[in-house]
Amino acid sequence: MRSDIVKKGAERTAHRALLKATGVTDDDMEKPFIGIANAYNDIVPGHMMLDKLTKAVREGICAAGGTPFEFGVMGICDGIAMGHDGMRYALASRELIADTIEAMVEAHCFDGLVVVGACDKIVPGMLMAMLRLDIPAIAVTGGPMLAERIGDKVVTIKTAFEAAGEYKAGKIDEKKLKLYEDYCAAYCGSCQGLYTANTMQLLTETLGLSLPYCATSPCGSSRKLRIAKMSGVRIMELVKEGIKPSDFITEGSFKNAITMDMLVGGSTNTVLHLPAIAREAGIKLSLDLFDEISRKTPHIVAIDPASEYTIADLDESGGVPMLFRKAKDLFSDEMTVSGMSVYEIAERAFVRGRDIIAEIDKPLHKEGGIAILRGNLAEKGCVVKQAAVSEDMMKFEGSAKVYDSEQEALKAILNNEIEEGDVVVIRYMGPKGAPGMPEMLLPTAAISGMGLKRVALITDGRFSGATRGPCIGHVSPEAMVGGTIALVEEGDTIEIDIPARKLELKVGEDELKKRRKKWKPKEKKLRGYLARYAKLVSGADEGAVFVG
């Protein structure tokens, strides 16, 4: 066993003494040592039940003959970090999470690993660590939050973010605003819709790194506890059989994940996370691959923010296994951590309640949920969640309103300085520029809440999965490194053509050359982790990973 390094032989007497200080018995010492990376905390709604899931994992490990060791992993709530400098740390925390797990596992020579996490950067960071370490490993994701109703309307965290704009526009009063505050996030779990957290849980299951139905089983449910316990049992089988992620995770696994993302219309943040995860397995995913798969993959289920359906409704519809079944010809038959292949899982799929998944020959949209645009404003590409864009805004030309920070843009929106026909440009928000590539949910939610229908938003930052409308992010190269977005001026005309995959600044090349000669990068005083992050991070087109 790998753990023999720290527990066998006379020269490890002190090591055994330290282990016994934690309660390890002589009998425990003979069993495989299993690390459990637990992202529990009591500030993130998606994490507040992870202690109970981890307990179930421990029970499964013990029942199957292992010795569990639990250690903590950080977790930032993007929603609470939204709209202020704290958001710069959210994406940056992904690398810290991966590094922390690597350090704990390697230092203590665990034989196997179970990661227990939820929410936006936590799950991607955990998957990066699993593939980097390449020891027997399994993921347990925390599951979605349930939704409440106010009147006849299903409300989610998206409703709460948009409520500020509605209030400023005089559409709702303080009493209604308070009602949204109290009921838009009334349970534990990852926020109810197909935002980044739940998208990544779906893709974890699709990749084959968690057990069937793990992604959609609601947080706090008995079913989730049973899946956690079964995952504890399964890790012991993986250790005994010597099965590592590299034994079943292939390029096909990642193509399956991208296909799933397109089928469901998931968060644009997957275009950052999947390449970063794949890189740990020595697999390169290009932006062009995302667009190639999007063009041939229909969109067959609409979940908030594209509809009022939530992940709980998808769970009733059969979850990931039913999506495998209905779109079987689009998936390759890869093996999964469960010991079953994708097609075997598909054969066992069933609908428990309502079925919100369209048939593959009668899709909601002919193309997948995400599109990659290019042009002189995004030479290395940018991303839009086309499944959440209305038909009349798929092609749009407007006048630029330019802001060098999210706060400036939000103030302008709430002060009624944005008009129909405008294109809001928020720059210096990229991986290096912010740094940390903050999400722009507050400005996009304010635009929606204010009732503006023909306004687009373009940024070198990124968007929450709760964003809807013609919101284009990940513009690369970013402003901080001299991308064309840094040269946009107030009143410039910008053309958006999603079907043609085009984003163009309608300014002549000679004028752009003049502007470039005058341009200087913004100076930002940075210290600590963000200073190191800004030096090491790559562009969004490469997944915002550390290089060098």
Side-chain angles (χ1 to χ4, degrees):
M1 287 187 291
R2 189 169 182 265
S3 59
D4 286 351
I5 296 170
V6 299
K7 63 185 182 184
K8 294 288 186 180
E11 67 276 16
R12 296 294 183 250
T13 300
H15 298 64
R16 290 192 296 276
L18 290 168
L19 287 165
K20 286 185 174 182
T22 69
V24 173
T25 67
D26 288 334
D27 187 46
D28 292 333
M29 209 78 74
E30 298 303 314
K31 300 172 184 177
F33 281 7
I34 309 299
I36 307 174
N38 179 11
Y40 165 78
N41 61 54
D42 58 11
I43 192 170
V44 183
H47 293 195
M48 56 192 283
M49 289 288 288
L50 296 184
D51 56 337
K52 292 179 174 56
L53 289 186
T54 301
K55 182 182 176 184
V57 169
R58 292 179 71 99
E59 289 171 354
I61 291 169
C62 291
T67 300
F69 293 93
E70 181 182 338
F71 60 92
V73 175
M74 67 172 294
I76 290 172
C77 178
D78 282 35
I80 297 172
M82 197 81 65
H84 57 88
D85 281 349
M87 192 62 191
R88 299 189 299 171
Y89 286 89
L91 179 61
S93 72
R94 186 187 68 183
E95 318 310 307
L96 286 174
I97 290 163
D99 291 351
T100 297
I101 296 172
E102 175 195 354
M104 287 295 289
V105 170
E106 294 289 42
H108 300 103
C109 298
F110 293 129
D111 299 298
L113 172 67
V114 183
V115 298
V116 184
C119 299
D120 298 45
K121 311 311 155 312
I122 296 86
V123 170
M126 287 179 158
L127 301 189
M128 289 168 67
M130 287 172 69
L131 295 186
R132 182 187 301 174
L133 290 162
D134 200 31
I135 64 171
I138 191 169
V140 179
T141 53
M145 180 186 292
L146 297 175
E148 287 277 17
R149 286 182 177 272
I150 295 178
D152 61 353
K153 180 181 179 182
V154 173
V155 293
T156 63
I157 196 64
K158 170 183 65 66
T159 318
F161 274 106
E162 293 180 357
E166 292 181 357
Y167 177 71
K168 291 289 286 187
K171 295 180 179 181
I172 60 173
D173 58 17
E174 284 189 28
K175 185 177 179 182
K176 192 65 173 285
L177 190 68
K178 181 66 161 57
L179 204 59
Y180 286 153
E181 179 182 322
D182 290 344
Y183 288 94
C184 283
Y187 299 91
C188 64
S190 297
C191 297
Q192 308 94 331
L194 193 57
Y195 320 143
T196 307
N198 283 317
T199 301
M200 284 310 307
Q201 294 187 81
L202 292 176
L203 300 194
T204 299
E205 188 176 326
T206 304
L207 280 167
L209 291 171
S210 62
L211 295 182
Y213 300 103
C214 187
T216 57
S217 296
C219 178
S221 67
S222 60
R223 187 154 38 104
K224 178 65 76 176
L225 285 173
R226 295 195 297 273
I227 289 171
K229 188 178 287 187
M230 289 188 291
S231 298
V233 172
R234 182 59 183 156
I235 188 60
M236 293 307 301
E237 295 169 350
L238 295 171
V239 168
K240 289 169 184 174
E241 295 168 21
I243 298 173
K244 308 180 299 296
S246 61
D247 294 323
F248 60 91
I249 295 294
T250 66
E251 185 177 356
S253 306
F254 282 96
K255 288 181 177 178
N256 281 349
I258 297 172
T259 298
M260 182 64 73
D261 199 15
M262 301 306 167
L263 284 169
V264 301
S267 167
T268 51
N269 283 318
T270 58
V271 180
L272 290 172
H273 297 320
L274 285 177
I277 297 164
R279 185 171 180 260
E280 300 291 352
I283 297 168
K284 182 174 176 58
L285 303 181
S286 68
L287 285 182
D288 290 337
L289 178 61
F290 281 83
D291 203 56
E292 176 190 325
I293 291 175
S294 177
R295 286 185 180 276
K296 64 184 181 184
T297 305
H299 176 218
I300 63 172
V301 59
I303 299 171
D304 181 66
S307 76
E308 283 200 349
Y309 292 126
T310 66
I311 299 297
D313 297 309
L314 179 60
D315 188 56
E316 283 187 26
S317 305
V320 169
M322 185 54 70
L323 286 159
F324 281 156
R325 185 169 181 171
K326 286 198 173 185
K328 187 175 178 181
D329 291 345
L330 297 177
F331 292 102
S332 58
D333 193 22
E334 307 297 329
M335 283 302 297
T336 74
V337 76
S338 69
M340 293 185 289
S341 73
V342 165
Y343 290 176
E344 287 173 323
I345 292 169
E347 285 302 311
R348 301 184 185 195
F350 63 94
V351 176
R352 191 179 81 254
R354 77 177 82 189
D355 187 359
I356 66 169
I357 305 171
E359 298 303 321
I360 200 75
D361 58 348
K362 295 178 182 178
L364 305 176
H365 300 98
K366 291 181 180 179
E367 291 187 352
I370 291 173
I372 306 299
L373 314 185
R374 295 183 187 271
N376 70 345
L377 192 48
E379 293 168 335
K380 292 186 177 181
C382 58
V383 185
V384 63
K385 189 172 183 176
Q386 63 174 343
V389 179
S390 62
E391 192 62 37
D392 66 327
M393 288 296 288
M394 295 293 280
K395 294 183 180 181
F396 179 70
E397 195 169 285
S399 179
K401 293 283 183 72
V402 185
Y403 305 95
D404 288 350
S405 76
E406 179 188 10
Q407 289 75 18
E408 290 172 15
L410 183 61
K411 183 178 178 182
I413 295 164
L414 295 177
N415 286 343
N416 292 301
E417 295 172 23
I418 305 302
E419 301 174 349
E420 300 286 13
D422 285 342
V423 178
V424 177
V425 177
I426 309 178
R427 62 193 179 190
Y428 296 100
M429 293 289 105
K432 287 184 178 294
M437 205 179 179
E439 289 182 348
M440 303 287 110
L441 179 56
L442 285 179
T444 60
I447 288 170
S448 181
M450 297 287 281
L452 295 165
K453 302 293 185 185
R454 295 191 60 77
V455 171
L457 194 149
I458 296 172
T459 181
D460 51 4
R462 59 195 177 89
F463 295 113
S464 162
T467 297
R468 55 177 170 164
C471 301
I472 298 167
H474 306 206
V475 169
S476 299
E478 62 175 288
M480 198 65 171
V481 299
T484 305
I485 192 171
L487 310 180
V488 180
E489 293 183 358
E490 198 86 4
D492 285 349
T493 298
I494 294 175
E495 179 191 3
I496 300 166
D497 189 338
I498 296 173
R501 303 298 200 261
K502 186 165 68 172
L503 180 67
E504 288 284 336
L505 177 65
K506 309 294 276 188
V507 174
E509 190 58 38
D510 289 343
E511 174 62 21
L512 288 178
K513 286 180 181 178
K514 290 179 185 177
R515 294 182 188 182
R516 190 171 295 283
K517 286 180 180 179
K518 298 177 184 176
W519 174 80
K520 291 181 180 179
K522 278 191 172 293
E523 290 187 14
K524 294 196 175 185
K525 292 182 179 180
L526 300 172
R527 59 188 179 86
Y529 178 57
L530 287 183
R532 297 195 298 275
Y533 183 86
K535 289 178 182 178
L536 294 172
V537 72
S538 71
D541 58 302
E542 296 178 16
V545 296
F546 282 173
V547 293

